[in-house]
Amino acid sequence: MGQKDITEKLLEDYNDVFADIVNVLLFRGNRIVKEESLKETKVKSQYKAEAGKLHEQERDVAKYWQDGNGLVAICGLENQTAEEKYMPLRVFSYDGASYRRQLSLVLHFGMKEWSSPHNLKGVIDIPKELEPYVNDYKANIFNIAFLDDETVQMFQSDFRIVADFFVQKRKN
C-alpha cells in the first residue's frame, strides 16, 4: 500500500469529506447525506475461497449512513489510480460481505477515463443460453480527473482541492 493510498483514505475517512463526495457524485451537490449521519464500520471482511482457503479483503473507506429511522445504507469508497479489469467482482465481493443496503463508489484518479468493464457481465464469460438468468452487477466508477468544473465546485470539503488537482493535472 503506497503513501498516496494512505493519504486518500485518511482524508476520505473524515465524515465531512465522505458526505461531500457522496453528495456531489450521487446527488449533484444536494446535501442529502449529513456528516453527523455517518458512523464508522469495519472495512475488513473474510470469505472462504476454493478448497476452503480463508481470505481477507479490505475496503478503502466505509461508513454506516443512518437517519432517525435507522440504517439507510452502508457506503464504501475505493480509490484507484490504475484501472482494474475485475473491479466489478471486487465491488460485488465487498457488497456481498456486508448486507443488503450496500452502496459502493470507485474513485478513479487516473489520467485516462476508465475503459475496463463497469459491470459483472463485462468481466465474466457467460454461455449465451444462460445470459438472461445471470444478474448483472454494476460498479459505480467516477473518473475524478474528468469531472466538469461545475461538479468540482459543488464539493464543500477539502476533497474539492483533490478533485481540482486531478482535473487540472489532466488538462495541463
Side-chain angles (χ1 to χ4, degrees):
M1 176 181 333
Q3 186 67 33
K4 183 171 62 172
D5 191 48
I6 293 170
T7 304
E8 290 166 348
K9 289 177 187 180
L10 285 173
L11 175 66
E12 293 163 2
D13 197 42
Y14 286 101
N15 283 357
D16 66 319
V17 174
F18 192 97
D20 195 33
I21 291 168
V22 172
N23 284 325
V24 170
L25 297 179
L26 296 186
F27 304 118
R28 296 292 302 151
N30 293 316
R31 302 290 148 196
I32 306 297
V33 178
K34 309 284 191 254
E35 65 181 279
E36 60 273 7
S37 69
L38 295 170
K39 307 291 181 229
E40 300 296 320
T41 185
K42 65 180 189 166
V43 293
K44 291 183 181 180
S45 59
Q46 297 76 29
Y47 64 96
K48 196 179 289 190
E50 299 161 9
K53 187 174 181 183
L54 292 174
H55 292 272
E56 185 173 76
Q57 57 189 7
E58 184 174 347
R59 300 214 69 147
D60 286 343
V61 184
K63 303 271 184 183
Y64 284 119
W65 173 22
Q66 299 176 307
D67 66 8
N69 299 320
L71 182 66
V72 175
I74 298 173
C75 303
L77 300 179
E78 288 304 310
N79 298 308
Q80 290 295 126
T81 301
E83 288 185 35
E84 185 175 327
K85 177 181 177 182
Y86 296 108
M87 182 55 73
L89 292 171
R90 273 184 54 197
V91 170
F92 182 68
S93 69
Y94 293 141
D95 291 356
S98 295
Y99 47 91
R100 291 178 283 210
R101 298 181 192 160
Q102 181 78 30
L103 174 64
S104 299
L105 308 178
V106 177
L107 307 179
H108 178 235
F109 294 99
M111 291 297 110
K112 292 179 7 185
E113 287 190 85
W114 190 280
S115 61
S116 292
H118 286 229
N119 62 338
L120 189 58
K121 288 184 177 181
V123 174
I124 59 176
D125 293 323
I126 304 167
K128 187 181 243 180
E129 59 276 7
L130 293 179
E131 200 278 330
Y133 307 104
V134 175
N135 291 323
D136 203 6
Y137 199 82
K138 178 183 165 217
N140 299 297
I141 299 170
F142 293 90
N143 293 294
I144 302 303
F146 289 84
L147 295 175
D148 58 51
D149 292 336
E150 178 186 353
T151 302
V152 170
Q153 291 307 309
M154 287 182 198
F155 291 111
Q156 296 180 7
S157 69
D158 290 345
F159 193 76
R160 179 190 293 175
I161 298 165
V162 174
D164 187 55
F165 169 80
F166 282 96
V167 169
Q168 296 308 318
K169 182 177 177 184
R170 176 188 57 85
K171 287 180 178 179
N172 300 325

